Amino acid sequence: TPESHGCFVMKKTIFIFLTLYCFLAIVIFAIYFFSKKYWLTHMFLISHGAENLKDSFPLNTTGHSQVTETSEVWVNKSAGEEFLGACPETPPNLLGPFQVELETVRTPEDVRKQVGSLLQVGGRYKPPDCISKQKVAVIIPFRNRHENLTHWLYYLHPFLQRQQLDYGVYVINQDGDGTFNRAKLMNIGYAEALKEDDYNCFLFSDVDLVPLDDRNLYRCFSNPRHLSVAIFGGVTALTKEQFLTFNGFSNTFWGWGGEDDDLYNRVMLRIKAISRPYAVIGRYKMIKHERDPHNDPNFNNVKKLQETTNTLDQDGLSSLNYTVIDITKNMLFTFITVDVHVPMGLTKK
């Protein structure tokens, strides 16, 4: 009948209208939801420094310059990190002081099982839930200290992860029996790490030093950072810009001694300030070992310290020469064996 046909048409019209209304409501809600999520994330990143590459936060530190130090902050986003915020200024899972026990016999396999589950090949790590404030290359000059290295890796990987660092560990192994050159190995570590990633902070650490407090942040600051306050030299953090400013370490300190004093001279000549954590935080435990027979004290290095002003520009990264013999990667570190071109007369004792 006409009446029933008219009723059917009206019902059909109402159904189409309601369908379109629901669809439009869903579209509007989706637009609102994602735009709100975007702007909340955008404002979060701004407030936490992700949009300001030189954003920094104050820390109470002391140094030779007696100035207030700040941590240098860079935040680099990669694919899949668009909605991650910057890691907090103070990592939330720090333990503070912790016990270091070096009597237990540890094998590399033991360490891989216990601390390697979160690592990527080559000793690489980045926090899964935030963007690290810096990308840190940890450089270890090395020769014949495998037991020390095993202890160091056991404690330092969890230590660095609690600090929410984006980092990689590079062990720079001097090949052969020639006189050891710790400083040149650190220059080589800097150069080789940059071939792998755009690191902006370099942490140079002796393999026999284990920190005792994870509030001692392994990151870079607006001045060169000496982290092992009770032990001369040992652990130093430098930005790429700082390292370039004083031409890196000297390449000519063969044998034990002098290279840390030379580094201090270089820093004070070009940057004129060094920062340190509080002494109670910058404590370390030294792993016992016998001195390498090819790393005896070199008294000629003392004389070289008087020449830093004149040799700084010619002796360092600008004159670095070496040959890579082998690069091996496992879950705990990248092991780079190099020929440091030991001068004639220093090849064997």
Side-chain angles (χ1 to χ4, degrees), residues 166-198:
D166 181 343
Y167 71 89
V169 174
Y170 296 86
V171 180
I172 314 302
N173 176 50
Q174 180 173 326
D175 186 57
D177 295 325
T179 301
F180 195 63
N181 192 324
R182 172 175 171 267
K184 189 171 186 178
L185 291 174
M186 292 191 281
N187 279 344
I188 295 171
Y190 167 89
E192 289 299 310
L194 282 177
K195 292 179 182 179
E196 290 206 336
D197 211 336
D198 58 340

Side-chain angles (χ1 to χ4, degrees), residues 101-306:
E101 188 274 306
L102 302 174
E103 302 304 320
T104 299
V105 177
R106 298 184 173 99
T107 68
E109 184 60 29
D110 294 333
V111 177
R112 275 193 292 272
K113 291 179 180 178
Q114 295 180 60
V115 308
S117 61
L118 300 178
L119 296 171
Q120 299 173 0
V121 174
R124 300 294 302 273
Y125 174 84
K126 65 169 57 179
D129 52 357
C130 62
I131 303 174
S132 183
K133 293 181 178 296
Q134 299 176 13
K135 188 174 289 186
V136 182
V138 183
I139 311 296
I140 302 174
F142 184 86
R143 187 167 64 182
N144 301 326
R145 295 281 181 84
H146 296 281
E147 183 179 353
N148 289 183
L149 179 60
T150 301
H151 287 303
W152 190 96
L153 293 165
Y154 176 78
Y155 285 106
L156 264 295
H157 274 303
F159 173 95
L160 298 170
Q161 290 167 18
R162 291 196 299 272
Q163 294 188 0
Q164 296 182 310
L165 293 177
D166 181 343
Y167 71 89
V169 174
Y170 296 86
V171 180
I172 314 302
N173 176 50
Q174 180 173 326
D175 186 57
D177 295 325
T179 301
F180 195 63
N181 192 324
R182 172 175 171 267
K184 189 171 186 178
L185 291 174
M186 292 191 281
N187 279 344
I188 295 171
Y190 167 89
E192 289 299 310
L194 282 177
K195 292 179 182 179
E196 290 206 336
D197 211 336
D198 58 340
Y199 291 104
N200 44 36
C201 177
F202 297 84
L203 198 293
F204 301 95
S205 175
D206 287 346
V207 72
D208 58 353
L209 291 178
V210 177
L212 297 174
D213 193 317
D214 58 14
R215 294 173 296 174
N216 190 6
L217 300 178
Y218 272 40
R219 62 174 64 155
C220 286
F221 292 74
S222 55
N223 286 321
R225 184 81 159 176
H226 178 213
L227 293 104
S228 51
V229 296
I231 301 171
F232 190 74
V235 187
T236 306
L238 300 160
T239 69
K240 182 179 180 180
E241 291 75 14
Q242 291 164 358
F243 204 61
L244 291 171
T245 296
F246 53 79
N247 198 24
F249 292 87
S250 167
N251 297 312
T252 58
F253 279 79
W254 300 94
W256 186 87
E259 70 275 8
D260 287 317
D261 297 286
D262 181 74
L263 174 65
Y264 174 77
N265 290 343
R266 288 168 176 255
V267 170
M268 297 310 290
L269 283 168
R270 291 291 169 84
I271 300 177
K272 305 185 187 308
I274 292 176
S275 73
R276 294 186 176 93
Y278 283 127
V280 68
I281 293 175
R283 297 173 57 245
Y284 283 75
K285 191 164 189 175
M286 181 174 287
I287 306 171
K288 295 180 180 179
H289 58 83
E290 295 183 1
R291 186 183 298 281
D292 187 328
H294 304 289
N295 191 27
D296 293 327
N298 186 344
F299 297 104
N300 291 326
N301 289 346
V302 177
K303 300 177 182 177
K304 287 179 56 61
L305 294 174
Q306 302 172 10

Side-chain angles (χ1 to χ4, degrees), residues 77-82 126:
K77 297 180 187 177
S78 59
E81 294 181 336
E82 292 84 357
K126 65 169 57 179

Side-chain angles (χ1 to χ4, degrees), residues 16 39 195:
I16 293 173
W39 285 109
K195 292 179 182 179

